[in-house]
Amino acid sequence: MNTAISQEELAQILDQALQEVTEYTAGVRLHQGSQPPGEDLCTVHITFDKGFSTSLTLCADKSLLARMACNSFHEESVTPADLEEFSKEYLNVLCGKVTGAMYQATQIPAHFSQPVFYHGRYEPEGQEAQFILTYSDEHCEGAQLIHHVPRTGEDGAVPVEIEQKGV
């Protein structure tokens, strides 16, 4: 049996989780906007390897992630290693919240891989963006949470729903 969730429902789950986790772990309030992050970016990527055939990518201004890390660690500055550690743990916590909400909505247990950190923008191979949620904070620093799905087939159809992966 396949259980599906609409793209709108998924976007709402992701938005709520991102805003709650960001404020709770880093003391930063993000709001949806239309201006993408700038040029000095970091990306964290995670793949759902059980339950769903999707992945999430967080691409954000390095300065935003550094400020979030400073707030989380209660430090005035962070090293590049601290920035990477925070970014990966942040996405890990975010995905934990998302999988909990997804389970409540679909009754499908999910598991995700370890997050991977990149300097710059990262695009996962064999996948395409289904939708992008764009955020900014009070300092006009930005982030994007990108939901990826497997690349479309020959017919060009883009999956609109998330379906349980065969087990």
Side-chain angles (χ1 to χ4, degrees), residues 96-158:
K97 188 153 186 80
V98 167
T99 56
M102 292 292 293
Y103 182 77
Q104 286 185 322
T106 66
Q107 300 303 301
I108 298 171
H111 180 268
F112 48 90
S113 66
Q114 293 290 321
V116 181
F117 180 85
Y118 301 91
H119 291 281
R121 186 175 289 275
Y122 170 77
E123 298 288 333
E125 284 186 34
Q127 296 189 334
E128 61 188 6
Q130 182 183 36
F131 61 85
I132 301 171
L133 301 175
T134 301
Y135 297 90
S136 62
D137 69 355
E138 68 275 8
H139 300 285
C140 296
E141 296 171 319
Q144 290 182 320
L145 185 62
I146 306 162
H147 180 255
H148 289 95
V149 294
R151 219 174 276 298
T152 59
E154 299 268 329
D155 63 359
V158 176

Side-chain angles (χ1 to χ4, degrees), residues 8-22 30-33 90 94 97-98 131 133-135 145:
E8 292 77 22
E9 290 172 304
L10 178 60
Q12 184 178 3
I13 287 170
L14 292 173
D15 176 56
Q16 183 175 351
L18 183 130
Q19 290 195 38
E20 287 176 8
V21 168
T22 304
L30 295 176
H31 57 275
Q32 284 200 32
Y90 169 80
L94 176 63
K97 188 153 186 80
V98 167
F131 61 85
L133 301 175
T134 301
Y135 297 90
L145 185 62

Side-chain angles (χ1 to χ4, degrees), residues 14-123:
L14 292 173
D15 176 56
Q16 183 175 351
L18 183 130
Q19 290 195 38
E20 287 176 8
V21 168
T22 304
E23 188 166 353
Y24 181 76
T25 63
V28 172
R29 286 187 176 209
L30 295 176
H31 57 275
Q32 284 200 32
S34 59
Q35 184 174 338
E39 297 292 318
D40 193 10
L41 304 171
C42 293
T43 304
V44 191
H45 179 77
I46 206 163
T47 301
F48 288 88
D49 52 17
K50 178 184 173 202
F52 302 101
S53 301
T54 64
S55 67
L56 287 175
T57 302
L58 176 71
C59 185
D61 285 324
K62 185 176 178 181
S63 57
L64 172 62
L65 289 173
R67 190 162 44 83
M68 289 169 59
C70 285
N71 290 350
S72 181
F73 296 154
H74 306 288
E75 298 288 337
E76 289 189 31
S77 64
V78 291
T79 66
D82 291 338
L83 178 66
E84 180 175 340
E85 177 186 335
F86 169 79
S87 299
K88 292 187 326 189
E89 187 57 29
Y90 169 80
L91 190 60
N92 202 38
V93 171
L94 176 63
C95 286
K97 188 153 186 80
V98 167
T99 56
M102 292 292 293
Y103 182 77
Q104 286 185 322
T106 66
Q107 300 303 301
I108 298 171
H111 180 268
F112 48 90
S113 66
Q114 293 290 321
V116 181
F117 180 85
Y118 301 91
H119 291 281
R121 186 175 289 275
Y122 170 77
E123 298 288 333

